[in-house]
Amino acid sequence: MAEDCLFCKIIQGDIPSDKLYEDDEVLAFRDIAPAAPVHFLVIPKKHISGPSAVAEEDEQLMGKLIRIGNQIAEKEGIEQYRLVFNNGAEAGQTVFHIHMHVLGGRSLNWPPG
Ligand code: AMP
């Protein structure tokens, strides 16, 4: 738990979310401003500020985010999707609790803007 962290508040249930998955380590919920027909976030319950703060002890947890993302994507009916981690404001990070975006359901351009 970190003070003044939006996603910690979502984990605590203080701010509502459209949950897709939850266990003791991971939470997934729909993005409030979807950028694609399917757009959800997969986050660890442990507060990690972003990709650059991932430590060796977090390696398994980070892999779990991808595995859970895969499972939800299948349930959501998308076989092709993009996984995004933004690190730092210049890269587009606005919430400083690490989160994996899963985007799909439309063609996605590359490179991103
Ligand atoms: P980023 O820009 O990579 O930090 O992504 C943060 C994401 O969190 C954005 O796509 C926002 O739309 C999303 N977001 C912000 N507040 C909420 C919320 N209360 N519930 C769900 N998603 C949110």
Side-chain angles (χ1 to χ4, degrees):
M1 255 307 273
E3 290 292 319
D4 294 326
C5 170
L6 175 67
F7 287 175
C8 285
K9 287 178 182 158
I10 286 178
I11 291 163
Q12 291 290 105
D14 295 340
I15 293 176
S17 67
D18 189 353
K19 283 183 197 173
L20 294 168
Y21 176 89
E22 181 168 21
D23 66 22
D24 55 339
E25 292 182 315
V26 171
L27 178 67
F29 51 96
R30 292 191 195 283
D31 196 292
I32 203 166
V38 177
H39 184 185
F40 60 90
L41 305 173
V42 189
I43 69 173
K45 290 191 170 177
K46 176 182 177 184
H47 180 83
I48 300 169
S49 61
S52 59
V54 169
E56 195 171 348
E57 66 184 24
D58 304 319
E59 284 178 3
Q60 198 172 349
L61 186 57
M62 293 301 105
K64 184 172 178 181
L65 297 190
I66 297 177
R67 184 174 63 76
I68 298 301
N70 290 341
Q71 283 180 4
I72 299 169
E74 192 177 346
K75 281 192 188 145
E76 291 289 306
I78 50 168
E79 287 180 2
Q80 302 178 64
Y81 49 86
R82 181 173 296 169
L83 306 180
V84 175
F85 287 89
N86 293 322
N87 189 69
E90 199 174 331
Q93 187 177 6
T94 59
V95 179
F96 290 84
H97 180 124
I98 194 168
H99 48 282
M100 184 180 78
H101 294 260
V102 182
L103 298 131
R106 67 169 171 85
S107 293
L108 297 165
N109 295 328
W110 192 263

